[in-house]
Amino acid sequence: MIGTDCVQGGYTPGNGEPRQIPIIQSTTFKYDTSEHMGQLFDLEASGYFYSRLQNPTCDFVAAKIAKLEGGTAAMLTSSGQAANFFAVFNIATAGDHVVSSSTVYGGTFNLFAVTMKKMGVEFTFVSPDCSEEELNAAFRPNTKAVFGETIANPALTVLDIEKFARAAHSHGVPLIIDNTFATPVNCRPIEWGADIVTHSTTKYMDGHGVSVGGCIVDSGKFDWLKNADKFPGLTTPDESYHGITYAEKFGLEGAFITKATAQLMRDFGSTPSPQSAFYLNLGLESLHVRMARHCENGQRVAEFLSKHPKVGWVNYCGLPGDKYHALAEKYLPNGSCGVVSFGVKGGRAAAEAFMKNLRLAAIETHVADARTCCLHPASATHRQMNDEELIAAGVSPDLVRMSCGLEDAEDLIADIAQALDKI
Ligand SMILES: *Cc1c(COP(=O)(O)O)cnc(C)c1O
């Protein structure tokens, strides 16, 4: 079960071996013959040779996350940004097109709309609430993937994963889901039709504000060869790897992650350090215990805010009146996350005053930490967006994002109450 996999998944020590995942802090690995080394480079034998591509500590932790998500293979990356970039760029390159939910994280929006556009990949952004007709109309002959977030940061929209999976699959392309906020403890997107799952492990998986990181998990379910003409990178020989055809050599279960490792990690090098992977694993060991408390605190804070006269509105899918409550009941039956967004009456100025008055909750560009923190996205993470883009991203100028930590709910509510009283 999920809690057992959080604690023990991915690493099973043999007799007399370290109980905890060892930190293999080594850039390189030693071999007796050049022939053996050559086989590794040709992907003819498996083994480690250089930590930019693969490292045992990182692989143990990736294997745990693959297990948690119900996937067949996974890779760690140095950040969530790198995970989303690799997940998309592994199948969509210059001249290709991707359909994405418009309410994705600001950093992801910028990566897609600005940086990947410069690389020749075009994105069409659709509302997560769009009809199936609108969603299907966004596809083009060169569409290679569909992208969305289970619970969007910071808009807190809940994605109808089955609707997005249906549209992706009817056009012969995979659905990529960023599952950062829900974590596999609260939602396993592969069970609802997602093909690739990504994470910013910086958030709940780490959970202690210790290390930036990311992860990509492959479900092993998407049949690249069945849609071979769309995915030549997986279904035709890779001349930079002696003519290997990933989908043939590594099968459904291994092709996507092997290609991402052999090409993208080799060339871009966004690899985490073994030490960071070790810290991530410490966070994962208690993920199932912490998520329950984050959700309990989020629910209590959201209920308090929703009754407060100085609060204009509250977004939290755990509230019965929330726009996404029905989707949350389907996809997030055990709770969503600890992040609540709301508007303080009086707009941008009132939001800023409220945040200044907080004592326990700190102002941080962060979420999903053991310590409660809050942010005004319009003046921080989303400041590169114009008003139209802000509204499409589900971020109004008065929006405060509060990430409820693991403290006692009574203390959090008392802090919020005194901060509201002062404005
Ligand atoms: C934070 C975040 C990212 C980016 O991750 P980093 O680890 O900061 O690079 C991507 N997606 C979501 C949903 C996030 O919350």
Side-chain angles (χ1 to χ4, degrees):
M1 289 171 71
I2 195 106
T4 305
D5 288 338
C6 282
V7 181
Q8 298 211 11
Y11 172 67
T12 309
N15 190 39
E17 288 180 358
R19 185 68 190 95
Q20 181 53 285
I21 291 178
I23 304 169
I24 312 287
Q25 192 71 48
S26 183
T27 55
T28 190
F29 300 82
K30 176 234 158 202
Y31 288 92
D32 290 337
T33 65
S34 301
E35 285 80 9
H36 192 172
M37 191 82 165
Q39 287 172 354
L40 297 174
F41 268 93
D42 286 355
L43 305 181
E44 285 301 330
S46 63
Y48 295 94
F49 52 97
Y50 191 53
S51 286
R52 175 167 15 96
L53 283 98
Q54 277 187 289
N55 171 280
T57 308
C58 298
D59 281 356
F60 288 136
V61 182
K64 175 176 283 191
I65 298 175
K67 196 153 196 213
L68 292 175
E69 286 289 3
T72 55
M75 75 191 290
L76 297 189
T77 57
S78 56
S79 67
Q81 286 297 110
N84 283 330
F85 173 56
F86 282 14
V88 175
F89 198 63
N90 208 28
I91 43 178
T93 55
D96 290 339
H97 172 260
V98 176
V99 175
S100 172
S101 162
S102 61
T103 56
V104 291
Y105 172 69
T108 307
F109 182 85
N110 204 63
L111 168 69
F112 290 173
V114 181
T115 302
M116 288 192 75
K117 189 172 180 196
K118 285 185 200 156
M119 302 171 87
V121 186
E122 289 269 359
F123 286 77
T124 297
F125 294 95
V126 294
S127 163
D129 309 329
C130 67
S131 66
E132 303 228 4
E133 295 74 57
E134 287 168 316
L135 184 51
N136 285 319
F139 284 80
R140 300 179 191 168
N142 59 341
T143 302
K144 298 298 168 73
V146 178
F147 186 96
E149 292 175 10
T150 311
I151 306 171
N153 174 13
L156 301 182
T157 54
V158 177
L159 197 75
D160 187 343
I161 300 173
E162 284 190 316
K163 176 177 78 181
F164 275 68
R166 255 195 316 277
H169 296 159
S170 73
H171 290 86
V173 302
L175 174 64
I176 304 171
I177 292 289
D178 182 332
N179 197 34
T180 297
F181 268 24
T183 83
V185 171
N186 285 338
C187 179
R188 301 195 339 146
I190 291 170
E191 290 171 0
W192 300 102
D195 302 286
I196 311 289
V197 175
T198 62
H199 282 278
S200 166
T201 62
T202 318
K203 313 296 165 50
Y204 288 113
M205 285 189 167
D206 173 296
H208 299 78
V210 171
S211 49
V212 173
C215 187
I216 308 173
V217 181
D218 181 13
S219 69
K221 288 186 179 159
F222 192 82
D223 194 343
W224 309 105
L225 287 168
K226 209 170 137 199
N227 302 283
D229 54 323
K230 282 191 193 294
F231 305 104
L234 283 149
T235 60
T236 60
D238 177 0
E239 293 315 329
S240 76
Y241 258 117
H242 309 281
I244 284 173
T245 299
Y246 294 100
E248 282 169 3
K249 190 160 175 71
F250 299 100
L252 291 189
E253 66 283 358
F256 188 86
I257 294 295
T258 306
K259 177 178 179 290
T261 305
Q263 291 178 341
L264 302 185
M265 201 55 99
R266 176 194 64 187
D267 295 352
F268 291 102
S270 313
T271 197
S273 74
Q275 187 76 39
S276 292
F278 176 83
Y279 291 138
L280 169 58
N281 183 58
L282 292 184
L284 290 169
E285 287 184 0
S286 63
L287 182 66
H288 56 306
V289 181
R290 292 183 291 106
M291 284 313 287
R293 179 63 170 252
H294 281 295
C295 291
E296 182 196 327
N297 283 354
Q299 184 74 29
R300 301 257 314 259
V301 164
E303 283 169 9
F304 172 79
L305 288 167
S306 68
K307 292 182 199 124
H308 200 287
K310 290 191 180 173
V311 173
W313 54 269
V314 181
N315 281 344
Y316 189 72
C317 63
L319 293 176
D322 191 81
K323 185 176 172 192
Y324 295 98
H325 190 66
L327 282 174
E329 284 194 310
K330 174 175 174 180
Y331 292 106
L332 303 156
N334 302 322
S336 55
C337 64
V339 184
V340 180
S341 65
F342 57 100
V344 181
K345 283 184 187 163
R348 182 185 281 259
E352 283 170 0
F354 163 75
M355 286 178 45
K356 236 182 247 165
N357 295 338
L358 289 166
R359 292 187 191 131
L360 262 185
I363 298 174
E364 287 172 32
T365 307
H366 193 41
V367 286
D369 187 333
R371 289 143 295 218
T372 296
C373 56
C374 65
L375 182 80
H376 184 225
S379 55
T381 45
H382 286 61
R383 62 184 298 130
Q384 76 281 5
M385 289 188 179
N386 63 35
D387 280 3
E388 237 170 49
E389 287 171 337
L390 274 178
I391 286 159
V395 180
S396 58
D398 61 341
L399 183 150
V400 173
R401 179 184 71 185
M402 179 160 286
S403 170
C404 298
L406 300 176
E407 303 92 338
D408 292 303
E410 292 76 6
D411 287 335
L412 296 180
I413 289 169
D415 188 36
I416 294 166
Q418 65 82 25
L420 284 169
D421 284 349
K422 282 196 197 140
I423 52 171

